[in-house]
Structure formats: structure tokens, C-alpha cells
Amino acid sequence: MIADLEILGATESEKSGEVIELGADFLVASSPRQLSPAHLLQRVVERIDSEPARVRTDAEGHVVSINPAFSGLCGYSFPEIRGRKPGSLLQGPDTEPECVEVIREAVRTGSPCETEMFNYHKDGSRYRVKINIQPLYDEAGNLAGFEATERKLP
């Protein structure tokens, strides 16, 4: 989503030309008099490309949200992965079992973890990724889920 914040009633200080993230959508705070629509789109794409892939799960590890960078990394859209465990779609023959066990243990104990492993794109191609998983807690301190941040490695 690209929007002109002037039309949305943004104040002059908000019209800085910076890309800001609102959920899974992106707004570009810029007036059309400052940047062309093509330039605005290019800036949004650059921002999405610079963002790490993120996936959130519930406490049992089922996907509840992803960002556009996650779809770009693995090829799956949200409807395709919602409610599934990421590993069921992303792991394959070269995925290291010891790395999978690190993730399983973190989910089982509600602990953070970090690992590097091979994952698989929807098209079947293999890629190496660094995954950082953090537990998420609700207001009462109960485990509510996890957020994984993933970066593709060379």
C-alpha cells in the first residue's frame, strides 16, 4: 500500500519522505510534489528488501503472521503458511537435524535461540539462513508465542 500522507491529513513534520511501517503495509510519508510515484515505489521496495524476514507463531509454533520479507525469502504467502509450523514447509533433505533440535527445544521450553541452517524455498531451491527466535509473552507473563527473525546467508 502506498499512500500520500498529505491526503491522509499528515502534519508537515510527518511529510519527511521517510518510509514508515504500519503492520504489513508500508506508507511513504511524502508529497507527490517531492517524489514521483515510481520513486516512491522504489523506496518502498528498498525498505521491504532491507527488512529481515519475520514470522510470528503462537505458543505451539503455528504461524500467525509474516512480513513481506518472509514471503520474499521463502516464496510462501500468508494464506499458504498460516496455521502451519514453519519447519513443515521450509525444512528439507539438507536441513541439519541438530539445528532443528535447537529450535524444538526453544519452543518446548519457551526460550530464545539462534542457529544457522539450510531451508528450502517454495520452488525447491535451498538457501542458508540465520534464525533468531525470541519468545513473546502476554501481559500476565504467559508464553504467547515466538517471533523468528531470519536473514539469508551467502
Side-chain angles (χ1 to χ4, degrees):
M1 174 179 154
I2 300 175
D4 183 336
L5 292 186
E6 186 173 310
I7 294 170
L8 297 176
T11 65
E12 198 60 40
S13 65
E14 293 169 318
K15 298 176 195 168
S16 65
E18 293 298 314
V19 178
I20 57 173
E21 182 177 350
L22 297 177
D25 295 328
F26 291 84
L27 293 177
V28 177
S30 181
S31 166
R33 292 179 302 277
Q34 295 172 330
L35 298 172
S36 70
H39 190 189
L40 292 176
L41 179 59
Q42 176 186 354
R43 295 209 32 212
V44 169
V45 170
E46 287 170 359
R47 173 65 188 263
I48 290 169
D49 288 345
S50 71
E51 289 291 313
R54 294 186 195 279
V55 57
R56 284 192 179 195
T57 69
D58 60 20
E60 291 77 39
H62 299 97
V63 174
V64 296
S65 70
I66 63 174
N67 71 351
F70 185 83
S71 289
L73 179 65
C74 70
Y76 290 100
S77 66
F78 182 63
E80 292 173 304
I81 199 166
R82 177 182 25 201
R84 311 239 350 232
K85 291 190 175 188
S88 69
L89 295 172
L90 303 177
Q91 295 168 7
D94 293 331
T95 302
E96 303 89 333
E98 60 275 9
C99 297
V100 174
E101 187 54 38
V102 166
I103 293 171
R104 282 188 184 141
E105 181 66 13
V107 171
R108 188 181 68 72
T109 62
S111 305
C113 74
E114 186 170 279
T115 190
E116 293 180 11
M117 63 193 294
F118 285 113
N119 271 351
Y120 287 82
H121 190 275
K122 180 180 176 179
D123 69 10
S125 61
R126 181 183 83 163
Y127 61 94
R128 190 141 187 90
V129 67
K130 182 175 187 174
I131 303 172
N132 180 294
I133 299 174
Q134 295 295 320
L136 303 172
Y137 296 94
D138 64 18
E139 299 81 29
N142 299 312
L143 181 66
F146 296 89
E147 181 174 85
T149 303
E150 302 184 12
R151 291 216 183 254
K152 188 174 181 180
L153 298 173

